[in-house]
Amino acid sequence: MGILDLPFSLDEISYNDGGIQTESSNVQIEVENDVKPLIQPYHIMEENRINSDHIILNRHAHIKFLRVGLKGLSSQAVGLDASQAWICYWIIHSLDLLGATLSKSEIERAINTLSACQNPTGGFGGGPYQFSHVAPTYAAVNTLAIIGTEEAYNVINREKLYEWFMSLKQPDGSFQMNEGGEIDVRGCYCVLATAKLLNILTPELTSGVAEFIASCQTYEGGIGGYPGNEAHGGYSFCGLAALEILKKTDYINSDSLMEWVTSCQMKLEGGFQGRINKLVDGCYSFWQGGSFPLLEGIYTKKNEPFDTCGFFDREALQEYILLCCQNQYGGLLDKPKKSPDFYHTCYCLSGLSLAQHYYIYDTIQDDFKENQELTTIVGKVSNLIRATHPVHNISMVKVKKITSYFSNSSIVNVDSTESLASSIEIITNKDKSSDN
Amino acid sequence: MDEEDNTTYVPYSKRPEWSDIEPIPQYDESLPRLIHINYDKEYTDAMDCFRAIVKKKEISERALELTEFLINYNPAHYYIWKYRQELLLKLNCDLKKELVNMEENTYSWMKSYQIWHHRQVLVDNLNDPVDEMETINVVLEMDSKNYHAWAYRQWLMTRFNLFDKSELDYIDDFLLEDIRNNSAWNQRMFYYNNRPSILLDAEAENEINYAIEKIKILPNNKCPWTYLKGIIELNEKTLLDYPDIEELCTQLKDDKSCIFPLSMYYDISLMKYKKNPTKESYENLLKILKELEDRDFRRVNYWNHKRNQLKFFNKQNDKSFD
C-alpha cells in the first residue's frame, strides 16, 4: 500500500468537501495542497517519476540538529524552562533511535542534569528546584534507562519515588500530575510506565487505574483525557499503554478503539490526525501509531486470528514522515511549512520506528518482541532506525536492560516472589499511619 | 527589553526591598550539564530570587508580584503557577479579582494546561462558577476545537450542575458554523451522558433525528454517524431497533465518495447475520467488505481484519460458508 504506488492520482484521493465548505474543510484542503507537491515527484502516475529508493532519512542532519541542541538553546527556549527533563528525553531518545552513540561527557552531563532535577521526594521536576511532576519524572527515568549505565540507574530513588506516586493517587484510581495538579490519563501512563521499568508496580499503586481509564473511552472508540472529554490520540495511547502494563486491556472495547484509530490515518497525507476532522501532525505518528502493536497484542491474547501485516498502512506513514516532515537542515516537524523542534523530531522518529518494525506479543514473556522478517522500509535500506518499545518508547534493548536490572529489587525490601506478603505489609503500614 | 527599559529596570536582587534575599542559581556551575538555555538576564535574576522565596516558603505580597512577573515570561511554568495559587489562598486574596486579571492571559495562552488549571483551582475554592462560562465562550469563539476549554467547560458543568437546555443551542450554533466540529459533537454526547437525568426515549428519538438531519446535509462526515451510534447505545438499544437508519444507509450507501453509510450498513447487516447466519447473507457481507476496502484504501488492513472477525464468528458457530 502506501501513497506512492497507489494507482489513483493525488487529486482523486484529495479531500471531498461535498460542496460544504467550513473552517475544518478549508484548513484540511490547505494542508493537502502543501503536501501534494512533496509527494507528487515520487508518485506512480508521474512521468519521470523519482524512484522511491531515493527517499532518504537525513540521518546526519538530524543528529547534528539534536547535538546543536545539547550545546545551547536560545532565549526563545525559555518556554521550555519547565521541560528540561523532557528536552533530555526528546534528544537522547532521538539520538538513540538514529543509532548515534552518546559520548562519555554527554552521558555525564545528562546524569548531572537529571540528578539536579530530582527532588528529595524521589520525583523529578521539569528543571532544578522545580516541584516534582509525573511527566518530567517519566521523561527523566526514560532518559536514564536509555543511558543504561549503573550510574544512571542509581540516580533513581525507587522507594521515595514510590511513596510520592502513592501520594498522588486519587480515590477513583487516577493520579494527579503533581501535588494539587490536574488529573488526566497522562498521569496514569507516566506513573505506571515508570513504575513498570523500576519494578515498583504494587497492587496499591495500580488499584482502580484500569476502571478510571475505561471510563475515559468515549462513544467514538478513542480515549479522552478525562471522562467525557473528546477522544484524542495522545490520551488514547497513554490509556491503552497503561492498560497493557496492568495486563487489563480487556477493560476497554478494543474493536471500537481499532475502528477509531484506523480512521485517524489520513487518506492523502498518510500521517495521523489526533482527533476526528482535525489536521495531520507528525507527532501522532507515534501517539496513534503506537496503539497498533498494543491492539495486536490484545487480539493475540484473545486468540483471535489476524493477518500479520499490521492494522495500519505502514508505508503511507513512513512516506508522510520522510517526504513531508523532514527539515533539510535537520530536525523533523508537525507538517509542511512548520519549523522543526525536538518534540516533533522525537515523535516523528518514534513513529517511523514503529512503522518500520513489526512487533508481536509474546504470551510466554508477556512482552513485545520484534519479528524482523516483517520489517518494512520505505526508501533506502539505510533508513532503518532502531526498534522502539511500543509501551515505553525507548529502544527495545534498553527496556530489557533496565527491567532485568531492577527485577530482583523489591520496593519493601522483601524477596520479590513474596509480592503478596509485601502488599500486606504496605496495607498494614497504611493502617498504622491512618491511626495516628 | 528595549533600550529605555534597560536603563530603568532594576533587577530584583538589586532592589532594596529584596536585599534580605540570597538568590539561588539554578545550576551548580562546577558540574557540566546538558541543557543550556540562554536566558535573558532579567529572567535569570527573577528566577534566582524565586528559588530563594520557595526555599524560605515565604508567603508575601512581593512573592505574589514575582510570580506574576515570571508567569508573564513563561506561562508553562507549572510550579510557579502552583506557588502563586498557594500565595493567593494564604494571603486571602480576592480570587474573583485574580480571575478577571488573568482574563487576557487566558486568551493569549489558551493552549497551555496551566492557565486552565489555575482557573479551575480558583473557581473550586470560590465554590462559585462566577462568569467562567463567558470566558470559555470567548476562547471557543476564537478556537472552536480548543481541548482545554471544552474540558474545563465539562468540569464546570459537572461541578456546579450547569446542565441547562441552552447548552444544546450553544452546541448547535457551533455545528451550524462548522458541521465537522467534532468537539461540539462530543460536547452534545457529554451533555446527555452526564446530566443528572436519564435519557428519555423521546429525547433519544430527537437526537437521532438531529443526527440524521446533519447526515442529510453532509453524508461524508464521520461525526454524526458516530454520534448516532453513541446515542443508540446510551439509550440501550441497537441499530436494529431503528428501521429509519437502515433506510438512510440503503439510500446513501452507493455513493462511492463516502464510506460511512456503507460502513453502518455493514454493521446492521452483521447484526442480522449473527441472529440468523445464512450463506446468502454471508456472501453479501463479504461483498460489502470488498467495496469498503476499495473505497477506504488507506484502511485495507482494517477491513481485512473485519473479514477475519467474520470468519472467526463462523468458525466458532460451526458455519462453513466458504
PDB file of all heavy atoms in Angstrom, chain B residues 24-46:
ATOM      1  N   ILE B  24      19.326  32.102  44.579  1.00  0.00           N
ATOM      2  CA  ILE B  24      19.841  30.733  44.394  1.00  0.00           C
ATOM      3  C   ILE B  24      19.937  30.447  42.895  1.00  0.00           C
ATOM      4  O   ILE B  24      18.918  30.439  42.200  1.00  0.00           O
ATOM      5  CB  ILE B  24      18.905  29.694  45.047  1.00  0.00           C
ATOM      6  CG1 ILE B  24      18.786  29.958  46.559  1.00  0.00           C
ATOM      7  CG2 ILE B  24      19.393  28.277  44.773  1.00  0.00           C
ATOM      8  CD1 ILE B  24      17.810  29.046  47.271  1.00  0.00           C
ATOM      9  N   PRO B  25      21.148  30.225  42.407  1.00  0.00           N
ATOM     10  CA  PRO B  25      21.266  29.914  40.979  1.00  0.00           C
ATOM     11  C   PRO B  25      20.689  28.534  40.673  1.00  0.00           C
ATOM     12  O   PRO B  25      20.628  27.672  41.548  1.00  0.00           O
ATOM     13  CB  PRO B  25      22.777  29.945  40.718  1.00  0.00           C
ATOM     14  CG  PRO B  25      23.393  29.727  42.050  1.00  0.00           C
ATOM     15  CD  PRO B  25      22.437  30.223  43.091  1.00  0.00           C
ATOM     16  N   GLN B  26      20.258  28.349  39.422  1.00  0.00           N
ATOM     17  CA  GLN B  26      19.622  27.090  39.045  1.00  0.00           C
ATOM     18  C   GLN B  26      20.585  25.912  39.091  1.00  0.00           C
ATOM     19  O   GLN B  26      20.254  24.850  39.589  1.00  0.00           O
ATOM     20  CB  GLN B  26      19.036  27.233  37.636  1.00  0.00           C
ATOM     21  CG  GLN B  26      18.447  25.948  37.111  1.00  0.00           C
ATOM     22  CD  GLN B  26      17.710  26.100  35.788  1.00  0.00           C
ATOM     23  OE1 GLN B  26      16.657  25.524  35.603  1.00  0.00           O
ATOM     24  NE2 GLN B  26      18.245  26.878  34.868  1.00  0.00           N
ATOM     25  N   TYR B  27      21.773  26.122  38.555  1.00  0.00           N
ATOM     26  CA  TYR B  27      22.713  25.006  38.430  1.00  0.00           C
ATOM     27  C   TYR B  27      23.982  25.278  39.214  1.00  0.00           C
ATOM     28  O   TYR B  27      24.422  26.419  39.346  1.00  0.00           O
ATOM     29  CB  TYR B  27      23.086  24.781  36.958  1.00  0.00           C
ATOM     30  CG  TYR B  27      22.058  24.003  36.183  1.00  0.00           C
ATOM     31  CD1 TYR B  27      21.186  24.651  35.314  1.00  0.00           C
ATOM     32  CD2 TYR B  27      21.964  22.624  36.307  1.00  0.00           C
ATOM     33  CE1 TYR B  27      20.243  23.934  34.586  1.00  0.00           C
ATOM     34  CE2 TYR B  27      21.029  21.898  35.574  1.00  0.00           C
ATOM     35  CZ  TYR B  27      20.164  22.554  34.720  1.00  0.00           C
ATOM     36  OH  TYR B  27      19.243  21.839  34.005  1.00  0.00           O
ATOM     37  N   ASP B  28      24.563  24.218  39.696  1.00  0.00           N
ATOM     38  CA  ASP B  28      25.890  24.254  40.268  1.00  0.00           C
ATOM     39  C   ASP B  28      26.855  24.313  39.071  1.00  0.00           C
ATOM     40  O   ASP B  28      27.014  23.330  38.347  1.00  0.00           O
ATOM     41  CB  ASP B  28      26.098  22.967  41.084  1.00  0.00           C
ATOM     42  CG  ASP B  28      27.519  22.808  41.557  1.00  0.00           C
ATOM     43  OD1 ASP B  28      28.369  23.653  41.192  1.00  0.00           O
ATOM     44  OD2 ASP B  28      27.789  21.831  42.276  1.00  0.00           O
ATOM     45  N   GLU B  29      27.445  25.465  38.840  1.00  0.00           N
ATOM     46  CA  GLU B  29      28.231  25.673  37.614  1.00  0.00           C
ATOM     47  C   GLU B  29      29.476  24.784  37.547  1.00  0.00           C
ATOM     48  O   GLU B  29      30.087  24.651  36.486  1.00  0.00           O
ATOM     49  CB  GLU B  29      28.622  27.149  37.463  1.00  0.00           C
ATOM     50  CG  GLU B  29      27.447  28.085  37.157  1.00  0.00           C
ATOM     51  CD  GLU B  29      26.709  27.766  35.850  1.00  0.00           C
ATOM     52  OE1 GLU B  29      27.323  27.213  34.918  1.00  0.00           O
ATOM     53  OE2 GLU B  29      25.498  28.075  35.780  1.00  0.00           O
ATOM     54  N   SER B  30      29.864  24.180  38.670  1.00  0.00           N
ATOM     55  CA  SER B  30      31.071  23.343  38.629  1.00  0.00           C
ATOM     56  C   SER B  30      30.787  22.002  37.945  1.00  0.00           C
ATOM     57  O   SER B  30      31.703  21.294  37.544  1.00  0.00           O
ATOM     58  CB  SER B  30      31.598  23.118  40.052  1.00  0.00           C
ATOM     59  OG  SER B  30      30.680  22.313  40.756  1.00  0.00           O
ATOM     60  N   LEU B  31      29.506  21.658  37.816  1.00  0.00           N
ATOM     61  CA  LEU B  31      29.163  20.391  37.160  1.00  0.00           C
ATOM     62  C   LEU B  31      28.737  20.652  35.724  1.00  0.00           C
ATOM     63  O   LEU B  31      27.809  21.425  35.487  1.00  0.00           O
ATOM     64  CB  LEU B  31      28.013  19.702  37.908  1.00  0.00           C
ATOM     65  CG  LEU B  31      28.298  19.184  39.313  1.00  0.00           C
ATOM     66  CD1 LEU B  31      27.009  18.692  39.962  1.00  0.00           C
ATOM     67  CD2 LEU B  31      29.334  18.066  39.287  1.00  0.00           C
ATOM     68  N   PRO B  32      29.379  20.008  34.754  1.00  0.00           N
ATOM     69  CA  PRO B  32      28.948  20.208  33.365  1.00  0.00           C
ATOM     70  C   PRO B  32      27.550  19.641  33.171  1.00  0.00           C
ATOM     71  O   PRO B  32      27.204  18.608  33.734  1.00  0.00           O
ATOM     72  CB  PRO B  32      29.979  19.431  32.550  1.00  0.00           C
ATOM     73  CG  PRO B  32      30.553  18.435  33.486  1.00  0.00           C
ATOM     74  CD  PRO B  32      30.475  19.029  34.867  1.00  0.00           C
ATOM     75  N   ARG B  33      26.713  20.341  32.417  1.00  0.00           N
ATOM     76  CA  ARG B  33      25.342  19.866  32.246  1.00  0.00           C
ATOM     77  C   ARG B  33      24.940  19.828  30.775  1.00  0.00           C
ATOM     78  O   ARG B  33      25.657  20.303  29.907  1.00  0.00           O
ATOM     79  CB  ARG B  33      24.392  20.747  33.051  1.00  0.00           C
ATOM     80  CG  ARG B  33      24.388  22.192  32.614  1.00  0.00           C
ATOM     81  CD  ARG B  33      23.383  22.982  33.414  1.00  0.00           C
ATOM     82  NE  ARG B  33      23.141  24.268  32.834  1.00  0.00           N
ATOM     83  CZ  ARG B  33      23.894  25.352  33.052  1.00  0.00           C
ATOM     84  NH1 ARG B  33      24.955  25.285  33.848  1.00  0.00           N
ATOM     85  NH2 ARG B  33      23.598  26.500  32.464  1.00  0.00           N
ATOM     86  N   LEU B  34      23.764  19.276  30.533  1.00  0.00           N
ATOM     87  CA  LEU B  34      23.344  19.022  29.154  1.00  0.00           C
ATOM     88  C   LEU B  34      22.528  20.174  28.573  1.00  0.00           C
ATOM     89  O   LEU B  34      22.606  20.463  27.398  1.00  0.00           O
ATOM     90  CB  LEU B  34      22.497  17.739  29.142  1.00  0.00           C
ATOM     91  CG  LEU B  34      22.467  16.930  27.857  1.00  0.00           C
ATOM     92  CD1 LEU B  34      23.855  16.521  27.421  1.00  0.00           C
ATOM     93  CD2 LEU B  34      21.602  15.694  28.049  1.00  0.00           C
ATOM     94  N   ILE B  35      21.728  20.789  29.422  1.00  0.00           N
ATOM     95  CA  ILE B  35      20.798  21.789  28.904  1.00  0.00           C
ATOM     96  C   ILE B  35      21.276  23.197  29.260  1.00  0.00           C
ATOM     97  O   ILE B  35      21.503  23.502  30.435  1.00  0.00           O
ATOM     98  CB  ILE B  35      19.381  21.579  29.491  1.00  0.00           C
ATOM     99  CG1 ILE B  35      18.905  20.137  29.297  1.00  0.00           C
ATOM    100  CG2 ILE B  35      18.381  22.579  28.894  1.00  0.00           C
ATOM    101  CD1 ILE B  35      18.686  19.714  27.869  1.00  0.00           C
ATOM    102  N   HIS B  36      21.469  24.011  28.259  1.00  0.00           N
ATOM    103  CA  HIS B  36      21.880  25.397  28.469  1.00  0.00           C
ATOM    104  C   HIS B  36      20.907  26.308  27.740  1.00  0.00           C
ATOM    105  O   HIS B  36      21.002  26.451  26.529  1.00  0.00           O
ATOM    106  CB  HIS B  36      23.273  25.660  27.882  1.00  0.00           C
ATOM    107  CG  HIS B  36      24.331  24.760  28.424  1.00  0.00           C
ATOM    108  ND1 HIS B  36      25.161  25.123  29.455  1.00  0.00           N
ATOM    109  CD2 HIS B  36      24.684  23.511  28.080  1.00  0.00           C
ATOM    110  CE1 HIS B  36      25.980  24.131  29.723  1.00  0.00           C
ATOM    111  NE2 HIS B  36      25.717  23.136  28.902  1.00  0.00           N
ATOM    112  N   ILE B  37      19.983  26.879  28.472  1.00  0.00           N
ATOM    113  CA  ILE B  37      19.094  27.854  27.840  1.00  0.00           C
ATOM    114  C   ILE B  37      19.709  29.230  28.074  1.00  0.00           C
ATOM    115  O   ILE B  37      20.093  29.562  29.197  1.00  0.00           O
ATOM    116  CB  ILE B  37      17.661  27.778  28.412  1.00  0.00           C
ATOM    117  CG1 ILE B  37      17.067  26.384  28.148  1.00  0.00           C
ATOM    118  CG2 ILE B  37      16.774  28.867  27.794  1.00  0.00           C
ATOM    119  CD1 ILE B  37      15.714  26.121  28.790  1.00  0.00           C
ATOM    120  N   ASN B  38      19.814  29.977  27.013  1.00  0.00           N
ATOM    121  CA  ASN B  38      20.448  31.293  27.117  1.00  0.00           C
ATOM    122  C   ASN B  38      19.401  32.314  27.608  1.00  0.00           C
ATOM    123  O   ASN B  38      18.892  33.122  26.845  1.00  0.00           O
ATOM    124  CB  ASN B  38      20.994  31.671  25.735  1.00  0.00           C
ATOM    125  CG  ASN B  38      21.807  32.937  25.783  1.00  0.00           C
ATOM    126  OD1 ASN B  38      22.242  33.363  26.874  1.00  0.00           O
ATOM    127  ND2 ASN B  38      22.007  33.557  24.640  1.00  0.00           N
ATOM    128  N   TYR B  39      19.105  32.245  28.910  1.00  0.00           N
ATOM    129  CA  TYR B  39      18.042  33.074  29.473  1.00  0.00           C
ATOM    130  C   TYR B  39      18.384  34.559  29.385  1.00  0.00           C
ATOM    131  O   TYR B  39      19.549  34.937  29.511  1.00  0.00           O
ATOM    132  CB  TYR B  39      17.837  32.757  30.956  1.00  0.00           C
ATOM    133  CG  TYR B  39      17.561  31.309  31.273  1.00  0.00           C
ATOM    134  CD1 TYR B  39      18.542  30.501  31.857  1.00  0.00           C
ATOM    135  CD2 TYR B  39      16.319  30.750  31.012  1.00  0.00           C
ATOM    136  CE1 TYR B  39      18.283  29.176  32.165  1.00  0.00           C
ATOM    137  CE2 TYR B  39      16.058  29.423  31.321  1.00  0.00           C
ATOM    138  CZ  TYR B  39      17.048  28.637  31.893  1.00  0.00           C
ATOM    139  OH  TYR B  39      16.794  27.332  32.200  1.00  0.00           O
ATOM    140  N   ASP B  40      17.343  35.393  29.263  1.00  0.00           N
ATOM    141  CA  ASP B  40      17.542  36.837  29.436  1.00  0.00           C
ATOM    142  C   ASP B  40      17.976  37.062  30.882  1.00  0.00           C
ATOM    143  O   ASP B  40      17.528  36.352  31.780  1.00  0.00           O
ATOM    144  CB  ASP B  40      16.215  37.583  29.220  1.00  0.00           C
ATOM    145  CG  ASP B  40      15.776  37.516  27.765  1.00  0.00           C
ATOM    146  OD1 ASP B  40      16.622  37.216  26.909  1.00  0.00           O
ATOM    147  OD2 ASP B  40      14.577  37.749  27.511  1.00  0.00           O
ATOM    148  N   LYS B  41      18.800  38.101  31.091  1.00  0.00           N
ATOM    149  CA  LYS B  41      19.323  38.262  32.451  1.00  0.00           C
ATOM    150  C   LYS B  41      18.240  38.666  33.455  1.00  0.00           C
ATOM    151  O   LYS B  41      18.293  38.307  34.620  1.00  0.00           O
ATOM    152  CB  LYS B  41      20.524  39.212  32.496  1.00  0.00           C
ATOM    153  CG  LYS B  41      20.292  40.608  31.965  1.00  0.00           C
ATOM    154  CD  LYS B  41      21.620  41.383  32.026  1.00  0.00           C
ATOM    155  CE  LYS B  41      21.441  42.857  31.714  1.00  0.00           C
ATOM    156  NZ  LYS B  41      20.816  43.152  30.407  1.00  0.00           N
ATOM    157  N   GLU B  42      17.200  39.333  32.990  1.00  0.00           N
ATOM    158  CA  GLU B  42      16.083  39.699  33.882  1.00  0.00           C
ATOM    159  C   GLU B  42      15.396  38.432  34.402  1.00  0.00           C
ATOM    160  O   GLU B  42      14.987  38.363  35.551  1.00  0.00           O
ATOM    161  CB  GLU B  42      15.036  40.547  33.155  1.00  0.00           C
ATOM    162  CG  GLU B  42      15.484  41.925  32.728  1.00  0.00           C
ATOM    163  CD  GLU B  42      16.192  41.916  31.374  1.00  0.00           C
ATOM    164  OE1 GLU B  42      16.437  40.819  30.815  1.00  0.00           O
ATOM    165  OE2 GLU B  42      16.509  43.012  30.882  1.00  0.00           O
ATOM    166  N   TYR B  43      15.285  37.455  33.502  1.00  0.00           N
ATOM    167  CA  TYR B  43      14.604  36.210  33.871  1.00  0.00           C
ATOM    168  C   TYR B  43      15.442  35.418  34.876  1.00  0.00           C
ATOM    169  O   TYR B  43      14.928  34.943  35.894  1.00  0.00           O
ATOM    170  CB  TYR B  43      14.353  35.389  32.599  1.00  0.00           C
ATOM    171  CG  TYR B  43      13.675  34.064  32.836  1.00  0.00           C
ATOM    172  CD1 TYR B  43      12.307  34.000  33.057  1.00  0.00           C
ATOM    173  CD2 TYR B  43      14.399  32.868  32.828  1.00  0.00           C
ATOM    174  CE1 TYR B  43      11.674  32.778  33.270  1.00  0.00           C
ATOM    175  CE2 TYR B  43      13.779  31.650  33.042  1.00  0.00           C
ATOM    176  CZ  TYR B  43      12.422  31.606  33.252  1.00  0.00           C
ATOM    177  OH  TYR B  43      11.796  30.396  33.469  1.00  0.00           O
ATOM    178  N   THR B  44      16.729  35.304  34.585  1.00  0.00           N
ATOM    179  CA  THR B  44      17.612  34.573  35.498  1.00  0.00           C
ATOM    180  C   THR B  44      17.578  35.202  36.882  1.00  0.00           C
ATOM    181  O   THR B  44      17.443  34.501  37.895  1.00  0.00           O
ATOM    182  CB  THR B  44      19.066  34.593  34.963  1.00  0.00           C
ATOM    183  OG1 THR B  44      19.040  34.059  33.650  1.00  0.00           O
ATOM    184  CG2 THR B  44      19.986  33.776  35.833  1.00  0.00           C
ATOM    185  N   ASP B  45      17.660  36.511  36.920  1.00  0.00           N
ATOM    186  CA  ASP B  45      17.636  37.231  38.198  1.00  0.00           C
ATOM    187  C   ASP B  45      16.342  36.926  38.953  1.00  0.00           C
ATOM    188  O   ASP B  45      16.358  36.582  40.142  1.00  0.00           O
ATOM    189  CB  ASP B  45      17.763  38.731  37.896  1.00  0.00           C
ATOM    190  CG  ASP B  45      17.319  39.603  39.059  1.00  0.00           C
ATOM    191  OD1 ASP B  45      18.005  39.543  40.099  1.00  0.00           O
ATOM    192  OD2 ASP B  45      16.291  40.296  38.933  1.00  0.00           O
ATOM    193  N   ALA B  46      15.230  37.019  38.265  1.00  0.00           N
ATOM    194  CA  ALA B  46      13.939  36.796  38.926  1.00  0.00           C
ATOM    195  C   ALA B  46      13.797  35.342  39.385  1.00  0.00           C
ATOM    196  O   ALA B  46      13.302  35.063  40.473  1.00  0.00           O
ATOM    197  CB  ALA B  46      12.798  37.172  37.981  1.00  0.00           C
TER     198      ALA B  46
END
